[in-house]
Amino acid sequence: PEQYLGVHVRNGDFCHAHTVTVDPKECHPATAFADALLKAAKATGITDVYIATDNADTIPVMRGLCPELVFFFNKEVDRDWLIVSDQDLESGEIFLEQRLFKADLNKRQNHLQEIMVDIMLLARSEAMVGQFTSNISRLVVALGTFLRSGELLPFVSLDHPWCWNGFRPTDFGVKFGKNFWC
């Protein structure tokens, strides 16, 4: 489609991060993303949505929550590989980056290409829903704004405002009782 909304839903390593780090990441339910998308669709009149997610189960759930929207996604993404397994949880290797270090070069290159496709398609959307605790969502808004010659890509962040602080503590995390690193 020529015009579409974008949504980036993290349901993999992101949802387990709080078990191994003090970084206060929150895994929002699909209903939170659906509510934001439905509001964006109503405001823009756009019903096509590009969904980028690390969890294949998220796609049919979002379709069920938003039957009036038409979802499309990159079918080339190996989402089964992205699932955090019981073995990953037991070994403490929750983060995708840890698993990528152990993967062969082809797996790493394929994953990088999949991420770049998602980032480019999300950046070209008319509005984006995501979480600014995710580097991908922040990159999408930055690139989308650049592609619009400086006009801000409309976005909804379900957790924190835009932030770039050189990966130092900010007071954005006050609701968690600690500093948020961004």
Side-chain angles (χ1 to χ4, degrees):
E2 191 171 313
Q3 289 190 318
Y4 58 91
L5 303 173
V7 62
H8 176 231
V9 182
R10 301 255 339 245
N11 277 335
D13 61 342
F14 190 82
C15 294
H16 299 284
H18 69 279
T19 64
V20 295
T21 179
V22 296
D23 195 4
K25 292 185 169 143
E26 214 175 320
C27 190
H28 293 278
T31 53
F33 290 93
D35 290 346
L37 273 176
L38 290 170
K39 287 177 186 170
K42 183 176 181 181
T44 62
I46 298 171
T47 58
D48 291 314
V49 179
Y50 180 77
I51 183 169
T53 183
D54 54 4
N55 186 332
D57 295 338
T58 299
I59 297 165
V61 168
M62 291 298 289
R63 284 180 169 152
L65 291 170
C66 307
E68 57 271 70
L69 302 180
V70 178
F71 288 90
F72 65 104
F73 57 94
N74 183 353
K75 295 176 182 170
E76 301 300 315
V77 175
D78 179 5
R79 289 178 181 82
D80 292 335
W81 183 77
L82 297 171
I83 295 171
V84 178
S85 69
D86 290 340
Q87 183 179 354
D88 295 329
L89 291 170
E90 287 173 17
S91 70
E93 294 183 353
I94 292 170
F95 296 103
L96 176 60
E97 294 84 351
Q98 293 169 310
R99 290 178 277 148
L100 278 171
F101 285 132
K102 291 183 174 184
D104 64 40
L105 183 59
N106 281 342
K107 177 62 82 177
R108 290 189 303 235
Q109 287 176 331
N110 287 342
H111 186 66
L112 179 60
Q113 184 176 7
E114 293 164 358
I115 289 172
M116 295 308 295
V117 167
D118 280 345
I119 289 171
M120 288 302 298
L121 288 170
L122 288 169
R124 293 182 181 279
S125 67
E126 298 301 316
M128 207 287 263
V129 175
Q131 297 176 249
F132 282 157
T133 49
S134 165
N135 288 323
I136 290 177
S137 289
R138 290 195 305 260
L139 280 170
V140 165
V141 171
L143 180 59
T145 299
F146 172 78
L147 292 172
R148 288 166 178 71
S149 301
E151 181 183 331
L152 184 64
L153 169 66
F155 66 87
V156 174
S157 174
L158 297 180
D159 51 17
H160 290 284
W162 171 265
C163 102
W164 180 253
N165 197 35
F167 204 68
R168 293 187 307 263
T170 69
D171 60 0
F172 290 149
V174 169
K175 72 178 183 177
F176 299 102
K178 55 189 146 209
N179 285 334
F180 172 72
W181 290 65
C182 69

